[in-house]
């Protein structure tokens, strides 16, 4: 009987350690900003080797879903549309630039109006500032002197 309870205790401790490990690897951040006459909402989920980002304007709709990553052999960034029909520059451009800033694979859900480039610029600026504050971006390379 004593051995059984000790075994159960060890199993419980292992499960707690595993849960803490997963929580350390997975970080979720949600925030909103008021821009002009509307609200822009963000959700950032940090996985060990990728980041999922959702950007929504005045609604909680998913919008188009993009994936972007470094590709071989030239280490260029490629992006594609996963959901939402045709490829457009709004979300794909943001996803590509986020890969360059973070060095990680990016999954981006973007629900921004296509005809408002200023909103897109502001949303990306706010998002990048948040990623920097969370420590998710690559450090800038120091300029080397000759």
């Amino acid at each position: 009987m004593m051995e059984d309870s000790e075994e159960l205790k060890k199993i419980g401790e292992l499960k707690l350690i595993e849960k803490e490990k997963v929580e350390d690897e997975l970080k979720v951040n949600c925030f909103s900003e008021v821009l002009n006459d509307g609200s822009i909402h963000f959700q950032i989920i940090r996985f060990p080797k990728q980041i999922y980002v959702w950007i929504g304007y005045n609604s909680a709709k998913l919008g188009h879903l993009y994936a972007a990553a470094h590709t071989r052999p030239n280490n260029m960034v490629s992006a594609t549309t996963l959901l939402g029909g045709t490829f457009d520059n709004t979300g794909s451009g943001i996803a590509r630039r986020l890969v360059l800033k973070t060095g990680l694979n990016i999954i981006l859900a973007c629900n921004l109006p296509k005809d408002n480039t200023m909103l897109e610029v502001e949303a990306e600026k706010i998002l990048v500032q948040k990623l920097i504050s969370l420590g998710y971006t690559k450090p800038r390379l120091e300029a080397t002197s000759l």
Side-chain angles (χ1 to χ4, degrees):
M1 274 289 204
M2 277 300 241
E3 291 176 9
D4 288 343
S5 65
E6 287 180 27
E7 262 185 62
L8 289 174
K9 185 177 178 183
K10 285 181 184 179
I11 290 171
E13 289 172 0
L14 287 174
K15 285 183 179 180
L16 183 61
I17 290 169
E18 288 175 11
K19 182 180 177 188
E20 289 172 355
K21 188 176 178 182
V22 168
E23 288 174 355
D24 285 342
E25 293 176 358
L26 186 69
K27 307 269 188 219
V28 179
N29 291 283
C30 301
F31 62 100
S32 297
E33 296 279 335
V34 176
L35 289 178
N36 302 332
D37 56 347
S39 297
I40 188 157
H41 310 285
F42 299 88
Q43 181 180 49
I44 303 168
I45 302 175
R46 173 69 158 91
F47 295 93
K49 294 183 181 179
Q50 74 179 16
I51 297 175
Y52 167 83
V53 176
W54 171 74
I55 305 171
Y57 184 68
N58 283 339
S59 74
K61 293 181 181 176
L62 180 68
H64 293 236
L65 187 65
Y66 304 92
H70 284 283
T71 54
R72 293 182 185 151
N74 300 345
N75 207 25
M76 296 179 67
V77 177
S78 296
T80 189
T81 303
L82 300 176
L83 290 174
T86 61
F87 187 80
D88 69 20
N89 291 332
T90 303
S92 64
I94 294 173
R96 283 182 186 180
R97 289 185 292 275
L98 290 178
V99 169
L100 293 171
K101 293 253 184 218
T102 64
L104 299 169
N105 296 336
I106 298 293
I107 303 295
L108 172 70
C110 187
N111 185 26
L112 295 174
K114 291 180 185 180
D115 59 344
N116 194 339
T117 55
M118 290 307 295
L119 179 65
E120 178 186 346
V121 169
E122 282 299 312
E124 185 174 354
K125 183 177 167 183
I126 292 166
L127 178 60
V128 168
Q129 288 173 347
K130 185 66 169 187
L131 291 171
I132 290 169
S133 73
L134 294 169
Y136 295 168
T137 56
K138 294 189 298 190
R140 289 184 180 219
L141 295 175
E142 299 281 330
T144 57
S145 58
L146 297 174

